[in-house]
Amino acid sequence: MKRTREVSRWRMLRQVHRRRSRWLEGQTRRYGRIHSFRYLHNQQHRRAILFITPR
Protein backbone atom coordinates (compact mmCIF):
# COMPACT_ATOMS: atom_id res chain seq x y z
CA MET A 1 0.00 0.00 0.00
CA LYS A 2 2.66 2.46 1.07
CA ARG A 3 4.87 1.67 -1.91
CA THR A 4 2.10 2.24 -4.48
CA ARG A 5 1.24 5.59 -2.89
CA GLU A 6 4.86 6.69 -3.13
CA VAL A 7 5.07 5.54 -6.72
CA SER A 8 1.89 7.35 -7.69
CA ARG A 9 3.07 10.52 -5.97
CA TRP A 10 6.40 10.29 -7.81
CA ARG A 11 4.58 9.80 -11.12
CA MET A 12 2.37 12.82 -10.46
CA LEU A 13 5.39 14.99 -9.65
CA ARG A 14 7.14 13.83 -12.81
CA GLN A 15 4.06 14.62 -14.90
CA VAL A 16 3.77 18.11 -13.42
CA HIS A 17 7.45 18.76 -14.05
CA ARG A 18 7.16 17.57 -17.65
CA ARG A 19 4.11 19.76 -18.25
CA ARG A 20 5.87 22.83 -16.80
CA SER A 21 9.02 22.27 -18.84
CA ARG A 22 6.98 21.87 -22.04
CA TRP A 23 5.07 25.08 -21.29
CA LEU A 24 8.33 26.92 -20.60
CA GLU A 25 9.81 25.62 -23.84
CA GLY A 26 6.80 26.94 -25.74
CA GLN A 27 7.11 30.32 -24.06
CA THR A 28 10.80 30.65 -24.89
CA ARG A 29 10.12 29.63 -28.48
CA ARG A 30 7.43 32.29 -28.80
CA TYR A 31 9.67 34.87 -27.16
CA GLY A 32 12.53 33.98 -29.50
CA ARG A 33 10.29 34.45 -32.52
CA ILE A 34 9.06 37.84 -31.28
CA HIS A 35 12.61 38.90 -30.40
CA SER A 36 14.02 37.95 -33.82
CA PHE A 37 11.16 39.74 -35.58
CA ARG A 38 11.79 42.93 -33.60
CA TYR A 39 15.53 42.70 -34.23
CA LEU A 40 15.04 42.32 -38.00
CA HIS A 41 12.59 45.21 -38.03
CA ASN A 42 15.10 47.45 -36.22
CA GLN A 43 17.87 46.50 -38.63
CA GLN A 44 15.68 47.37 -41.63
CA HIS A 45 14.77 50.67 -39.98
CA ARG A 46 18.46 51.53 -39.42
CA ARG A 47 19.28 50.69 -43.04
CA ALA A 48 16.40 52.86 -44.24
CA ILE A 49 17.66 55.77 -42.11
CA LEU A 50 21.12 55.42 -43.71
CA PHE A 51 19.66 55.92 -47.19
CA ILE A 52 17.52 58.93 -46.33
CA THR A 53 19.20 61.92 -47.98
CA PRO A 54 18.32 65.47 -46.90
CA ARG A 55 17.33 67.62 -49.83
Side-chain angles (χ1 to χ4, degrees):
M1 183 81 182
K2 193 178 179 188
R3 181 174 281 174
T4 54
R5 262 191 195 158
E6 282 176 10
V7 167
S8 61
R9 212 172 103 217
W10 180 75
R11 275 185 187 158
M12 285 287 288
L13 284 171
R14 213 174 78 192
Q15 203 176 359
V16 166
H17 177 73
R18 201 181 295 147
R19 195 178 297 140
R20 273 191 200 145
S21 60
R22 272 191 200 140
W23 177 81
L24 189 67
E25 192 185 335
Q27 293 295 97
T28 50
R29 234 183 241 144
R30 276 179 221 119
Y31 175 75
R33 200 176 294 152
I34 291 165
H35 182 75
S36 65
F37 178 76
R38 280 187 188 148
Y39 178 76
L40 284 173
H41 184 72
N42 286 343
Q43 291 296 99
Q44 284 176 349
H45 189 67
R46 281 190 201 124
R47 259 185 241 123
I49 288 170
L50 281 175
F51 290 110
I52 293 171
T53 51
R55 290 182 180 154

